[in-house]
Amino acid sequence: MKRLLVGMGTCGLSAGARGVHDRLGELLAGHPDRGELAITGCIGMCYCEPLVEVRENGRRVVYGEVTPARAEEIVSRHVVGGEILDDYVVYRLEEGRPASGREADFMAPQERIVLRNCGVIDPESIAEYEAAGGYEALRKALFEMTPAAIIEEMKASLLRGRGGAGFPTGLKWSFAAGQASDTKYVVCNADEGDPGAFMDRSVLEGDPHAVLEGMIVCARAIGGTHGYVYCRAEYPLALKRLEIALAAARERGYLGKNILGSDFSFDVKIKQGAGAFVCGEETALFASIEGERGMPRIRPPFPAEKGLWRKPTNNNNVETYANVPWILTRGAAAYRRFGTEKSPGTKVFALAGKVRRGGLAEVPMGMTIHDLVHLIGGGIKEGRAFKAVQMGGPSGGCIPSGISDTPVDFEHIPPTGAIMGSGGMVVLDDTSCMVEIARFFLEFTQNESCGKCTFCRIGTLRMLEALERITRGEGAPADIVKLEKLAVQIKEASLCGLGQTAPNPVQTTLRYYRQEYEAHIARRECPARYCEALVDFFIDAEKCTGCTLCAKNCPVQAITGEPKKLHVIDQSICVKCSRCIASCSFGAVYKN
Amino acid sequence: MAHETDSFVYRLWRYDGAPGELIPLLQSAQEHFGYIPRRAIRYISEATHIPESAIYGVITFYSQFRLQPMGKHVVRICAGTACHVSGSKLLIESVQDELGIEVGETTADGLFTLFTVACLGCCSLAPVMMVGEETHGRLTPASVRRILRGYRRKSEAAGARPAAEATTGADR
Ligand SMILES: Cc1cc2nc3c(=O)[nH]c(=O)nc-3n(C[C@H](O)[C@H](O)[C@H](O)COP(=O)(O)O)c2cc1C
Ligand code: FES
């Protein structure tokens, strides 16, 4: 019996998976012999969505960039005719044969623990999760292990939190376990605020039960009574799949009173975020669940003592929890076989930006940046030059291509000035201006600062102003001095991680790309030809078709030209607003 | 569509003094009215005994909440890192030109409201935007215009429907 699986994560859906799924439904309807249609989450190859997999007797053939028309071809030739359409195969897995397909080298270096079920099972079916070994860890935790033994196993695995700070998970659990209280909370941080990171979304959409099971095991270990998943509202599909998973888990007795007949009771609620980056910080997140403005609280007391509603609380990230069932069923020693001695296990990275293959990859800790970008990511789009990766989002920094042999783990990334963060990797090419990137992040943190600490609230604004002056070509050498001084002051005088890390993007770009700052200031020049104020706009005679759209959209009538003939920009009138670039369908307008 | 038990009135009526209900109440008010009108703040204050000023403070802290009515289609263009380096700034300008509004504004015909967001979690298809609950990826200035015109045509064909029941989600 053949199964046809359509990747229906947000990435698949926005690439058109719905139309493909519907077309396949029509083609299979009334032909039960052809096979059954199912949905699955994201397998990680977001760059070749929509994906359709034809699975039969353990053989998995994944087709990429499937359109409704191509879906017809897959049904008529592969499903009915039994022929594999090699030209469209991106990944093929079969027992006794090496993996093949156009994109096989994207998957080859990966080790899938967190993503073990993503793109493999139907995330809306608890039966498929169980068939894949799901909820075995919970049974083990309930009937074969004491809470103390669970914590010992987690400690032995050396798993470190995947939400950013990398705190040892077993140790964190032991703090909450050591508190005497009849109410304890288990919180899952699914706020995923780092722009450029999307692994938590993908895990929740592709394997929500893995996260729930991790939370239930945690509750068993620390004596948790109530659970919360705090998920951002921008993820409607993740929220929906979580709801489905919760209802199914309750029905099967994995949640609620006397779980699986034991004396242990625990239930989980979903809280929707309301759009504030700082609510990813755990104490602000608690304030938000409590219905207040999401302002961070002073620590100590730490969450393990007084967290949500002043009760002992354990908070972990989505990916951290998704690791737990695997570790419990296979054992800490098996987990430590992956990765490095001090950073064992795997990490999911979200590759995005100018990399050719943007998607999710789970690799053993300690793989180098170079291998992630080139081996897995397939290098840079349009054959341009690799300039840097931005890691850790607004709290992180830019690591230049020159030191891309740096292993990615908790020991080697911090000395570069960046942070591990949640695993978002935005790849930059030679068209990115590093001063502009720093400005972009400062604008972000300035916007998202909750306003509690003066240095974070006003200091980031002063830094942003200096960066804006520099990108406009109005900067002075004193601006660099000011940026360096403010960076240190803001880090020291801020209460939470937001302010303490906000200057990182500026400090790392100043460290590795000081000459770009100086070119903007001393020569009024943007080496990457990005900053509008420092370049002129031109129309490429080869590409212009004379469609007149740019001239119509120019607010100052700087563009002239006859219909169907080359248009020209008058530099003395042009105000460099970029409207012409936006209006051109042929990519004919460029900056230099 | 919103279930009976999710509706704002039902939630208010059911409110039993449990702590932490303010934000879910505001979310359901926004779902119900399309924004948070003055009278919703008053209802919530009466039911929860939280002062109106404190409720207002919570509303203005979170970027999700709106004190003005929104258009039938809420357009959210991603201005996150991956989209930023893939040219989202140009997209924002294209949409501003196409709709004749700035970020945060609503078109005169009440059809579109434009916002930017800090990442839709779809970075590998950057640049990305969401219209209602539908996500569109790999955009160019030209495709953005085409998509928005598509929504406009669909609305015109469907005739003027009240904004409250307007949702476009593919996954509801
Ligand atoms: C400004 C700020 C934003 C954060 N955003 C997130 C987030 O989106 N997701 C997350 O898991 N942790 C985030 N964190 C880290 C959390 O405070 C916390 O350390 C983490 O959720 C703990 O989980 P872990 O031990 O499993 O890593 C953020 C921290 C700060 C300071
Ligand atoms: S940066 Fe735009 S979707 Fe993530």
Side-chain angles (χ1 to χ4, degrees), chain A residues 51-133:
Chain A
L51 294 166
V52 172
E53 176 181 333
V54 184
R55 196 181 293 174
E56 187 181 25
N57 301 332
R59 182 177 71 194
R60 301 175 57 191
V61 179
V62 184
Y63 293 106
E65 281 131 22
V66 180
T67 55
R70 200 173 277 184
E72 279 170 33
E73 210 178 330
I74 292 171
V75 170
S76 65
R77 287 173 56 192
H78 182 161
V79 177
V80 178
E83 167 198 7
I84 291 176
L85 299 105
D86 286 319
D87 288 353
Y88 309 150
V89 175
V90 289
Y91 187 55
R92 176 172 168 180
L93 207 60
E94 207 166 331
E95 216 165 295
R97 277 180 56 158
S100 61
R102 196 180 77 207
E103 307 291 337
D105 47 347
F106 176 83
M107 301 293 271
Q110 298 198 38
E111 292 291 350
R112 298 192 150 222
I113 294 177
V114 172
L115 302 179
R116 58 193 179 275
N117 292 326
C118 287
V120 180
I121 65 166
D122 176 351
E124 299 185 6
S125 156
I126 193 168
E128 289 199 20
Y129 180 68
E130 289 168 331

Side-chain angles (χ1 to χ4, degrees), chain A residues 241-532:
Chain A
R241 298 226 165 115
L242 261 175
E243 296 274 7
I244 295 174
L246 274 180
R250 270 188 211 117
E251 205 185 300
R252 289 277 225 266
Y254 298 127
L255 276 177
K257 274 216 153 35
N258 300 102
I259 293 176
L260 295 176
S262 70
D263 58 359
F264 169 60
S265 303
F266 176 71
D267 209 340
V268 174
K269 278 190 193 153
I270 300 173
K271 282 275 173 174
Q272 231 186 77
F277 173 67
V278 73
C279 288
E281 198 282 332
E282 54 192 9
T283 59
L285 187 151
F286 301 153
S288 182
I289 293 182
E290 291 169 20
E292 292 173 14
R293 292 164 71 97
M295 301 265 216
R297 295 168 176 169
I298 295 176
R299 304 192 284 187
F302 287 96
E305 283 167 63
K306 288 199 169 83
L308 186 56
W309 281 304
R310 310 262 115 193
K311 297 286 183 195
T313 304
N314 181 78
N315 163 53
N316 281 120
N317 165 264
V318 170
E319 196 184 330
T320 312
Y321 283 124
N323 271 301
V324 172
W326 194 99
I327 294 173
L328 227 60
T329 38
R330 321 266 168 116
Y335 190 74
R336 279 211 315 272
R337 275 206 290 278
F338 298 100
T340 66
E341 208 187 311
K342 287 195 178 143
S343 301
T346 58
K347 175 81 195 88
V348 185
F349 292 100
L351 287 168
K354 296 302 177 71
V355 68
R356 210 172 59 74
R357 295 167 172 162
L360 283 185
E362 181 173 356
V363 298
M365 285 274 189
M367 183 178 258
T368 63
I369 294 173
H370 176 276
D371 285 355
L372 268 159
V373 172
H374 293 276
L375 217 60
I376 293 184
I380 307 299
K381 273 184 193 163
E382 294 164 16
R384 298 207 72 102
F386 171 34
K387 184 166 182 176
V389 295
Q390 207 287 335
M391 270 192 78
S395 310
C398 293
I399 304 176
S401 57
I403 52 169
S404 67
D405 55 350
T406 308
V408 184
D409 58 35
F410 290 108
E411 280 69 58
H412 293 91
I413 292 300
T416 65
I419 61 165
M420 278 291 278
S422 53
M425 279 198 167
V426 180
V427 179
L428 308 175
D429 67 9
D430 54 354
T431 60
S432 293
C433 166
M434 303 314 274
V435 188
E436 210 287 321
I437 294 288
R439 186 208 61 77
F440 168 79
F441 281 115
L442 256 289
E443 182 179 68
F444 181 89
T445 36
Q446 208 283 315
N447 239 316
E448 295 293 344
S449 167
C450 77
K452 190 163 178 162
C453 308
T454 315
F455 272 88
C456 177
R457 182 178 71 242
I458 299 172
T460 54
L461 179 62
R462 293 288 102 87
M463 283 183 91
L464 175 62
E465 287 164 354
L467 291 163
E468 281 175 349
R469 275 197 298 279
I470 299 173
T471 52
R472 278 202 310 266
E474 295 161 11
D479 283 325
I480 295 188
V481 180
K482 186 183 227 164
L483 285 173
E484 284 176 328
K485 205 164 126 195
L486 275 169
V488 176
Q489 290 168 340
I490 294 171
K491 283 189 157 179
E492 277 181 12
S494 298
L495 191 63
C496 88
L498 191 144
Q500 287 161 6
T501 57
N504 281 349
V506 179
Q507 287 181 314
T508 51
T509 47
L510 268 173
R511 174 162 158 197
Y512 298 113
Y513 299 96
R514 199 182 187 92
Q515 72 286 1
E516 286 197 26
Y517 281 80
E518 286 164 355
H520 281 74
I521 293 169
R523 299 198 300 279
R524 306 274 177 252
E525 187 185 302
C526 174
R529 304 280 177 268
Y530 182 90
C531 296
E532 272 109 20

Side-chain angles (χ1 to χ4, degrees), chain A residues 535-539 558 568-576 592:
Chain A
V535 295
D536 289 319
F537 286 66
F538 300 96
I539 296 175
V568 191
I569 301 174
D570 185 337
Q571 307 297 343
S572 65
I573 305 176
C574 175
V575 292
K576 302 175 183 177
N592 200 350

